[in-house]
Amino acid sequence: GIDHGEYLKDQMIQSGKKPILWGLAVGVSKYKSSTLNLRYADQDALLLKKFFTSHEKKSFSEVHFKTIINQEATRENIIADISNHLGKAGPDDIVFLSMAGHGIKHRQSGSYYFLTSDADNENILSRGLRMSDFEESIKILAQNVRKIIVAIDTCHSGALQIGMRGVAESEDLSQAIKAAQGLYIISASKAGELSMESDKYSIFPDYNGHGVFTYAIVQAMMGKANYDKNDYISLNEIFHYVASQVPRLTNGKQHPYFKV
């Protein structure tokens, strides 16, 4: 028999009906503990919003994009916007979720956390966003939406160097999200690598720098990844561009990876 969902989706694509995009970008550069501060994670979130909203009525029929930056980025706000904002997406819409900031692995429990703006080593259990809670939110979304893209650029606290974001030792972030079909996860760096940010990675004059990962994603979507020169850029093309450009820009220090 016909899978009516797939049939309808194919009909929509053939009829030229553009999808609706629901986006959420979280970026934390300013932490309660200023020794943790990054430079451009907040600007990464703002850049993604600027890019996607500029494509309303072009690539997408509607764009509903929210950012959560700096002190707004609490565990409660992030979870609430994943369920309340992204939760408005219908089955044929596209969800884009990005997280930029520090990541930390809790020494006793071994659990991986996204470091929210009000979290530090002392209160990570009560204030940090545990990746398993993040996974739970995405699993709920994935029951209702067929296409979800998650981009993660975090930093492991053991490698807190100015201008770098890393990931926890031997932690495979995509393992943290084992949810449904149609889920695309792209991570900024392999386990154990640092994740770079710099003022060299600038696209628009209103932002003075970015993480190399977000910079490469936006460059890809702006046309650099259109390898086959047709009228759209596929996710595969984006992944391919980011995977080849980021190691080049970082002299082999950072290697993004993705899971479908």
PDB file of all heavy atoms in Angstrom, residues 129-150:
ATOM      1  N   LEU A 129      21.883  21.838  31.905  1.00  0.00           N
ATOM      2  CA  LEU A 129      20.926  21.090  31.084  1.00  0.00           C
ATOM      3  C   LEU A 129      21.542  19.735  30.756  1.00  0.00           C
ATOM      4  O   LEU A 129      22.483  19.645  29.962  1.00  0.00           O
ATOM      5  CB  LEU A 129      20.616  21.853  29.794  1.00  0.00           C
ATOM      6  CG  LEU A 129      19.767  21.120  28.752  1.00  0.00           C
ATOM      7  CD1 LEU A 129      18.448  20.637  29.333  1.00  0.00           C
ATOM      8  CD2 LEU A 129      19.520  21.997  27.537  1.00  0.00           C
ATOM      9  N   ARG A 130      21.034  18.688  31.393  1.00  0.00           N
ATOM     10  CA  ARG A 130      21.585  17.359  31.161  1.00  0.00           C
ATOM     11  C   ARG A 130      21.209  16.904  29.759  1.00  0.00           C
ATOM     12  O   ARG A 130      20.074  17.088  29.327  1.00  0.00           O
ATOM     13  CB  ARG A 130      21.054  16.383  32.213  1.00  0.00           C
ATOM     14  CG  ARG A 130      21.942  15.164  32.359  1.00  0.00           C
ATOM     15  CD  ARG A 130      21.614  14.407  33.611  1.00  0.00           C
ATOM     16  NE  ARG A 130      20.278  13.795  33.498  1.00  0.00           N
ATOM     17  CZ  ARG A 130      19.748  13.041  34.440  1.00  0.00           C
ATOM     18  NH1 ARG A 130      20.401  12.833  35.570  1.00  0.00           N
ATOM     19  NH2 ARG A 130      18.565  12.509  34.275  1.00  0.00           N
ATOM     20  N   MET A 131      22.167  16.303  29.057  1.00  0.00           N
ATOM     21  CA  MET A 131      21.901  15.910  27.676  1.00  0.00           C
ATOM     22  C   MET A 131      20.769  14.895  27.572  1.00  0.00           C
ATOM     23  O   MET A 131      20.058  14.863  26.575  1.00  0.00           O
ATOM     24  CB  MET A 131      23.177  15.369  27.021  1.00  0.00           C
ATOM     25  CG  MET A 131      24.207  16.443  26.695  1.00  0.00           C
ATOM     26  SD  MET A 131      23.555  17.845  25.740  1.00  0.00           S
ATOM     27  CE  MET A 131      23.483  17.153  24.104  1.00  0.00           C
ATOM     28  N   SER A 132      20.568  14.089  28.612  1.00  0.00           N
ATOM     29  CA  SER A 132      19.459  13.127  28.551  1.00  0.00           C
ATOM     30  C   SER A 132      18.106  13.843  28.609  1.00  0.00           C
ATOM     31  O   SER A 132      17.126  13.394  28.016  1.00  0.00           O
ATOM     32  CB  SER A 132      19.574  12.084  29.658  1.00  0.00           C
ATOM     33  OG  SER A 132      19.699  12.712  30.905  1.00  0.00           O
ATOM     34  N   ASP A 133      18.041  15.001  29.293  1.00  0.00           N
ATOM     35  CA  ASP A 133      16.803  15.805  29.295  1.00  0.00           C
ATOM     36  C   ASP A 133      16.595  16.462  27.933  1.00  0.00           C
ATOM     37  O   ASP A 133      15.471  16.571  27.436  1.00  0.00           O
ATOM     38  CB  ASP A 133      16.861  16.893  30.381  1.00  0.00           C
ATOM     39  CG  ASP A 133      16.856  16.307  31.784  1.00  0.00           C
ATOM     40  OD1 ASP A 133      16.450  15.135  31.931  1.00  0.00           O
ATOM     41  OD2 ASP A 133      17.265  17.004  32.723  1.00  0.00           O
ATOM     42  N   PHE A 134      17.700  16.903  27.336  1.00  0.00           N
ATOM     43  CA  PHE A 134      17.682  17.483  25.997  1.00  0.00           C
ATOM     44  C   PHE A 134      17.184  16.426  24.998  1.00  0.00           C
ATOM     45  O   PHE A 134      16.309  16.689  24.170  1.00  0.00           O
ATOM     46  CB  PHE A 134      19.108  17.934  25.672  1.00  0.00           C
ATOM     47  CG  PHE A 134      19.297  18.560  24.324  1.00  0.00           C
ATOM     48  CD1 PHE A 134      18.697  19.761  24.005  1.00  0.00           C
ATOM     49  CD2 PHE A 134      20.117  17.957  23.372  1.00  0.00           C
ATOM     50  CE1 PHE A 134      18.889  20.359  22.766  1.00  0.00           C
ATOM     51  CE2 PHE A 134      20.318  18.540  22.131  1.00  0.00           C
ATOM     52  CZ  PHE A 134      19.701  19.736  21.830  1.00  0.00           C
ATOM     53  N   GLU A 135      17.715  15.212  25.136  1.00  0.00           N
ATOM     54  CA  GLU A 135      17.317  14.088  24.283  1.00  0.00           C
ATOM     55  C   GLU A 135      15.817  13.814  24.406  1.00  0.00           C
ATOM     56  O   GLU A 135      15.120  13.595  23.408  1.00  0.00           O
ATOM     57  CB  GLU A 135      18.103  12.837  24.687  1.00  0.00           C
ATOM     58  CG  GLU A 135      17.700  11.587  23.940  1.00  0.00           C
ATOM     59  CD  GLU A 135      18.298  10.318  24.546  1.00  0.00           C
ATOM     60  OE1 GLU A 135      19.018  10.406  25.552  1.00  0.00           O
ATOM     61  OE2 GLU A 135      18.021   9.250  24.005  1.00  0.00           O
ATOM     62  N   GLU A 136      15.345  13.843  25.637  1.00  0.00           N
ATOM     63  CA  GLU A 136      13.918  13.598  25.908  1.00  0.00           C
ATOM     64  C   GLU A 136      13.045  14.606  25.159  1.00  0.00           C
ATOM     65  O   GLU A 136      12.054  14.248  24.522  1.00  0.00           O
ATOM     66  CB  GLU A 136      13.690  13.727  27.422  1.00  0.00           C
ATOM     67  CG  GLU A 136      12.319  13.360  27.884  1.00  0.00           C
ATOM     68  CD  GLU A 136      12.207  11.902  28.291  1.00  0.00           C
ATOM     69  OE1 GLU A 136      13.032  11.081  27.862  1.00  0.00           O
ATOM     70  OE2 GLU A 136      11.274  11.589  29.014  1.00  0.00           O
ATOM     71  N   SER A 137      13.416  15.878  25.225  1.00  0.00           N
ATOM     72  CA  SER A 137      12.652  16.942  24.538  1.00  0.00           C
ATOM     73  C   SER A 137      12.623  16.696  23.033  1.00  0.00           C
ATOM     74  O   SER A 137      11.600  16.904  22.381  1.00  0.00           O
ATOM     75  CB  SER A 137      13.291  18.310  24.781  1.00  0.00           C
ATOM     76  OG  SER A 137      13.394  18.563  26.141  1.00  0.00           O
ATOM     77  N   ILE A 138      13.763  16.267  22.482  1.00  0.00           N
ATOM     78  CA  ILE A 138      13.832  16.049  21.044  1.00  0.00           C
ATOM     79  C   ILE A 138      13.016  14.818  20.636  1.00  0.00           C
ATOM     80  O   ILE A 138      12.369  14.807  19.594  1.00  0.00           O
ATOM     81  CB  ILE A 138      15.300  15.938  20.585  1.00  0.00           C
ATOM     82  CG1 ILE A 138      15.948  17.317  20.709  1.00  0.00           C
ATOM     83  CG2 ILE A 138      15.405  15.449  19.146  1.00  0.00           C
ATOM     84  CD1 ILE A 138      17.413  17.330  20.493  1.00  0.00           C
ATOM     85  N   LYS A 139      13.038  13.792  21.476  1.00  0.00           N
ATOM     86  CA  LYS A 139      12.242  12.586  21.185  1.00  0.00           C
ATOM     87  C   LYS A 139      10.758  12.922  21.092  1.00  0.00           C
ATOM     88  O   LYS A 139      10.042  12.410  20.236  1.00  0.00           O
ATOM     89  CB  LYS A 139      12.456  11.533  22.272  1.00  0.00           C
ATOM     90  CG  LYS A 139      13.684  10.683  22.055  1.00  0.00           C
ATOM     91  CD  LYS A 139      13.747   9.584  23.090  1.00  0.00           C
ATOM     92  CE  LYS A 139      14.898   8.624  22.803  1.00  0.00           C
ATOM     93  NZ  LYS A 139      15.167   7.747  23.943  1.00  0.00           N
ATOM     94  N   ILE A 140      10.297  13.798  21.985  1.00  0.00           N
ATOM     95  CA  ILE A 140       8.888  14.204  21.970  1.00  0.00           C
ATOM     96  C   ILE A 140       8.586  14.956  20.671  1.00  0.00           C
ATOM     97  O   ILE A 140       7.588  14.695  19.992  1.00  0.00           O
ATOM     98  CB  ILE A 140       8.553  15.052  23.215  1.00  0.00           C
ATOM     99  CG1 ILE A 140       8.655  14.176  24.475  1.00  0.00           C
ATOM    100  CG2 ILE A 140       7.164  15.685  23.099  1.00  0.00           C
ATOM    101  CD1 ILE A 140       8.725  14.953  25.783  1.00  0.00           C
ATOM    102  N   LEU A 141       9.488  15.887  20.291  1.00  0.00           N
ATOM    103  CA  LEU A 141       9.333  16.618  19.025  1.00  0.00           C
ATOM    104  C   LEU A 141       9.284  15.659  17.845  1.00  0.00           C
ATOM    105  O   LEU A 141       8.471  15.813  16.932  1.00  0.00           O
ATOM    106  CB  LEU A 141      10.551  17.521  18.803  1.00  0.00           C
ATOM    107  CG  LEU A 141      10.546  18.969  19.239  1.00  0.00           C
ATOM    108  CD1 LEU A 141      11.814  19.622  18.721  1.00  0.00           C
ATOM    109  CD2 LEU A 141       9.319  19.708  18.723  1.00  0.00           C
ATOM    110  N   ALA A 142      10.178  14.669  17.875  1.00  0.00           N
ATOM    111  CA  ALA A 142      10.330  13.756  16.734  1.00  0.00           C
ATOM    112  C   ALA A 142       9.103  12.876  16.512  1.00  0.00           C
ATOM    113  O   ALA A 142       8.943  12.298  15.438  1.00  0.00           O
ATOM    114  CB  ALA A 142      11.574  12.889  16.922  1.00  0.00           C
ATOM    115  N   GLN A 143       8.240  12.781  17.510  1.00  0.00           N
ATOM    116  CA  GLN A 143       6.998  12.023  17.314  1.00  0.00           C
ATOM    117  C   GLN A 143       6.029  12.779  16.411  1.00  0.00           C
ATOM    118  O   GLN A 143       5.139  12.192  15.815  1.00  0.00           O
ATOM    119  CB  GLN A 143       6.337  11.742  18.666  1.00  0.00           C
ATOM    120  CG  GLN A 143       7.114  10.726  19.482  1.00  0.00           C
ATOM    121  CD  GLN A 143       6.610  10.617  20.913  1.00  0.00           C
ATOM    122  OE1 GLN A 143       5.583  11.200  21.266  1.00  0.00           O
ATOM    123  NE2 GLN A 143       7.336   9.887  21.740  1.00  0.00           N
ATOM    124  N   ASN A 144       6.209  14.096  16.319  1.00  0.00           N
ATOM    125  CA  ASN A 144       5.267  14.925  15.558  1.00  0.00           C
ATOM    126  C   ASN A 144       5.854  15.553  14.296  1.00  0.00           C
ATOM    127  O   ASN A 144       5.114  16.021  13.448  1.00  0.00           O
ATOM    128  CB  ASN A 144       4.739  16.057  16.452  1.00  0.00           C
ATOM    129  CG  ASN A 144       4.149  15.528  17.738  1.00  0.00           C
ATOM    130  OD1 ASN A 144       3.378  14.573  17.710  1.00  0.00           O
ATOM    131  ND2 ASN A 144       4.515  16.112  18.862  1.00  0.00           N
ATOM    132  N   VAL A 145       7.176  15.601  14.204  1.00  0.00           N
ATOM    133  CA  VAL A 145       7.820  16.297  13.083  1.00  0.00           C
ATOM    134  C   VAL A 145       8.755  15.327  12.366  1.00  0.00           C
ATOM    135  O   VAL A 145       9.515  14.616  13.011  1.00  0.00           O
ATOM    136  CB  VAL A 145       8.650  17.512  13.598  1.00  0.00           C
ATOM    137  CG1 VAL A 145       9.228  18.297  12.422  1.00  0.00           C
ATOM    138  CG2 VAL A 145       7.796  18.417  14.461  1.00  0.00           C
ATOM    139  N   ARG A 146       8.696  15.328  11.027  1.00  0.00           N
ATOM    140  CA  ARG A 146       9.492  14.342  10.291  1.00  0.00           C
ATOM    141  C   ARG A 146      10.931  14.758  10.083  1.00  0.00           C
ATOM    142  O   ARG A 146      11.800  13.913   9.870  1.00  0.00           O
ATOM    143  CB  ARG A 146       8.856  14.082   8.919  1.00  0.00           C
ATOM    144  CG  ARG A 146       7.558  13.328   9.020  1.00  0.00           C
ATOM    145  CD  ARG A 146       7.206  12.665   7.692  1.00  0.00           C
ATOM    146  NE  ARG A 146       5.802  12.282   7.719  1.00  0.00           N
ATOM    147  CZ  ARG A 146       4.828  13.042   7.243  1.00  0.00           C
ATOM    148  NH1 ARG A 146       5.098  14.207   6.688  1.00  0.00           N
ATOM    149  NH2 ARG A 146       3.583  12.639   7.306  1.00  0.00           N
ATOM    150  N   LYS A 147      11.210  16.057  10.064  1.00  0.00           N
ATOM    151  CA  LYS A 147      12.586  16.492   9.785  1.00  0.00           C
ATOM    152  C   LYS A 147      13.081  17.438  10.878  1.00  0.00           C
ATOM    153  O   LYS A 147      12.566  18.544  11.036  1.00  0.00           O
ATOM    154  CB  LYS A 147      12.653  17.207   8.435  1.00  0.00           C
ATOM    155  CG  LYS A 147      12.632  16.255   7.259  1.00  0.00           C
ATOM    156  CD  LYS A 147      13.180  16.914   6.008  1.00  0.00           C
ATOM    157  CE  LYS A 147      13.356  15.914   4.877  1.00  0.00           C
ATOM    158  NZ  LYS A 147      12.124  15.178   4.564  1.00  0.00           N
ATOM    159  N   ILE A 148      14.090  16.972  11.612  1.00  0.00           N
ATOM    160  CA  ILE A 148      14.679  17.776  12.683  1.00  0.00           C
ATOM    161  C   ILE A 148      16.191  17.809  12.469  1.00  0.00           C
ATOM    162  O   ILE A 148      16.824  16.760  12.317  1.00  0.00           O
ATOM    163  CB  ILE A 148      14.373  17.164  14.066  1.00  0.00           C
ATOM    164  CG1 ILE A 148      12.857  17.098  14.296  1.00  0.00           C
ATOM    165  CG2 ILE A 148      15.051  17.970  15.181  1.00  0.00           C
ATOM    166  CD1 ILE A 148      12.449  16.388  15.584  1.00  0.00           C
ATOM    167  N   ILE A 149      16.745  19.004  12.442  1.00  0.00           N
ATOM    168  CA  ILE A 149      18.197  19.161  12.293  1.00  0.00           C
ATOM    169  C   ILE A 149      18.734  19.747  13.599  1.00  0.00           C
ATOM    170  O   ILE A 149      18.249  20.780  14.071  1.00  0.00           O
ATOM    171  CB  ILE A 149      18.526  20.111  11.123  1.00  0.00           C
ATOM    172  CG1 ILE A 149      17.938  19.562   9.819  1.00  0.00           C
ATOM    173  CG2 ILE A 149      20.038  20.299  10.995  1.00  0.00           C
ATOM    174  CD1 ILE A 149      17.658  20.625   8.794  1.00  0.00           C
ATOM    175  N   VAL A 150      19.715  19.066  14.194  1.00  0.00           N
ATOM    176  CA  VAL A 150      20.305  19.515  15.454  1.00  0.00           C
ATOM    177  C   VAL A 150      21.787  19.801  15.215  1.00  0.00           C
ATOM    178  O   VAL A 150      22.520  18.931  14.745  1.00  0.00           O
ATOM    179  CB  VAL A 150      20.160  18.442  16.560  1.00  0.00           C
ATOM    180  CG1 VAL A 150      20.759  18.938  17.871  1.00  0.00           C
ATOM    181  CG2 VAL A 150      18.693  18.062  16.765  1.00  0.00           C
TER     182      VAL A 150
END
